[in-house]
Amino acid sequence: MTSLDAPLAVLGLGAAGSSALWRAAARGVDVVGFEQHTPGHPHGSSHGHSRLFRTALVEGPQYVGLARHAQRLWRELEQASGSELLTLCGGVFLGPENGRLLPPILETIQAHDLPHERLTTTQIRSTYPQHTIDEGTIGVLDPGTGVVRAEAGIQAAVRAAVGLGAQVRTGERILAVEPGEHGVEVRSTGPDGERTWQFGRVIIAAGAWTPALLPELTVPMQPRRTLLTWFGTPDADRFGPDRFGVFLHEADGYLAWGAPALEGHGVKVGLHDLPVPDVADPSGNPLEVDPAEWAEVARWVARRLPELDAQDVRAEGCMYTGTPDEAFSIGIPAAYPGVVLAAACSGHGFKHATAVGDVAAALALDEEPPVDLAPFSPDRFG
Ligand SMILES: Cc1cc2nc3c(=O)[nH]c(=O)nc-3n(C[C@H](O)[C@H](O)[C@H](O)COP(=O)(O)OP(=O)(O)OC[C@H]3O[C@@H](n4cnc5c(N)ncnc54)[C@H](O)[C@@H]3O)c2cc1C
C-alpha cells in the first residue's frame, strides 16, 4: 500500500506547464510541478525573450476562444507579478489578396467580428515604409496583436503558483509515467536520486519530450529544429512596438513573421515554412547555430526589410513540435486515463499558454473547461 503524494502533478514547467501549475494552485489544489531544468531555461521551445500574440489568427477561428481566454489570464498574471508581460502594440499582416496568409486571417476576423482595418498598397507604403512590398500587396491591421514575454511569463507563472502553495521540483527529470494505485505513478530522478511518486492525476506539458513520456499516444508529434534570429537596426525607435509593431508577410514563397525591437533585442524575424530538420532527441538540439542555417532568413531580410542590418544577426536554436494538422493536443487521451495532455504544439502555442494551462487544470479537476476543446482532442487521429 503506497500513500498519495498529492492529488495532482504537472510534468514539465515550460509555457503550458508553468501556467497549468499556476491555474491548478489558484483552484486551491495541492499540486507538485516537475522541471528537468529551471523555469525559463533555453533548451526547449519557449526561450528567446518574446513570442507574437495574435487574435486574428491565421491558424483559424477555432483558436480565438483560447486566445481571448489567454489574454485575460496574461493580464491576471501581470497583476500577480507586477510586471508587463503582454504588450498589445498592434500588427500588420501583408500579402496578396488571394494568397495563403490573408484569406484565413479574414475568415477568422469575420467569424468573430474582430476589429481590424484594411490597407491598400499605397497606405502600407506610407504607414510602414520599413517594409518592401510587392505591387498589389494588401494589408490587414490587427490592434489585438502584440508581443508576450517568454521566459518572464514562465517565471511569473511559477512564482504565482508557489505563492499559492504549489511545490516545485527543479532539476528533476521524469523517467516514466504509469497507472498507479491512486491514479498515476511517476518515476523521477533529481538532486535526491531516483524516486517514485503517487498522484491522483498528472498534467503532461513536456513539449518536445511528450512522445518519450507517452509512447501510446495516437497523435503523431514530431519535434523539429527551428531558429530564433534577431537583426540589428540603426534605429530601434523606427523598428519599435509603436512604429513597426508585429508583422506577418507572405512574400518570396515564405510566410515571414516578425517582432519589433524591444528591451535591447533587435528585430526578430523568422520564416515559418523554411525547411527544418527533425530532432531525434530533444535533449540534443544545440542552442548554437551555424550561420548557414540563418542565411536564407538574412537574404529575405535584405530584400524585404532593407534598413535592417542583415549581417548583424544573433541566432539561437529552438524547437517546434509538429502534429500532422499543426493543431494542439489538449485533453485526456483514451490510452492514458489519469493523464491530461497539455501540448501547445507547432509554432504558435506560446500566446495561448495561460489558457492551455487553465483548461488543463480544469480537466484535471473534473471541471467543465472554459473553452471548446473539441478541435484539439488527443484522439483525433485514431
Ligand atoms: C522559433 C520559434 C518561434 C515561435 N514563435 C511563436 C510565436 O510567435 N507565438 C506563439 O504563440 N508561439 C510561438 N512559438 C511556439 C511556442 O513557443 C511553443 O508552442 C511553446 O513555447 C510550447 O510550449 P510547451 O510548454 O509545449 O513546451 P516547452 O516550453 O518546451 O516546455 C516543455 C517543458 O517540459 C520540460 N520537460 C520535458 N520532459 C521532461 C521530463 N521528462 N522531466 C521533467 N521536465 C521535462 C522541458 O524541460 C520544458 O521546460 C514559437 C516557437 C519557436 C521554436
Side-chain angles (χ1 to χ4, degrees), residues 11-18 34-38 41 43-47 50-54 148 154 172-175 205-210 213 224 226-228 257 268 316 318-320 328 342-353:
L11 312 186
L13 300 180
S18 59
F34 291 83
E35 170 53 54
Q36 61 186 346
H37 299 292
T38 50
H41 69 85
H43 307 293
S45 298
S46 299
H47 55 288
S50 65
R51 291 290 187 273
L52 307 192
F53 185 96
R54 292 171 286 117
V148 61
I154 290 171
E172 183 117 13
R173 188 159 56 88
I174 304 303
L175 301 172
W209 290 264
T210 302
L213 288 179
R224 298 203 176 88
T226 51
L227 301 183
L228 295 155
W257 52 267
K268 196 193 251 184
E316 288 177 1
C318 196
M319 285 179 285
Y320 289 153
F328 299 166
C345 294
S346 304
H348 58 106
F350 197 95
K351 67 182 77 58
H352 300 289

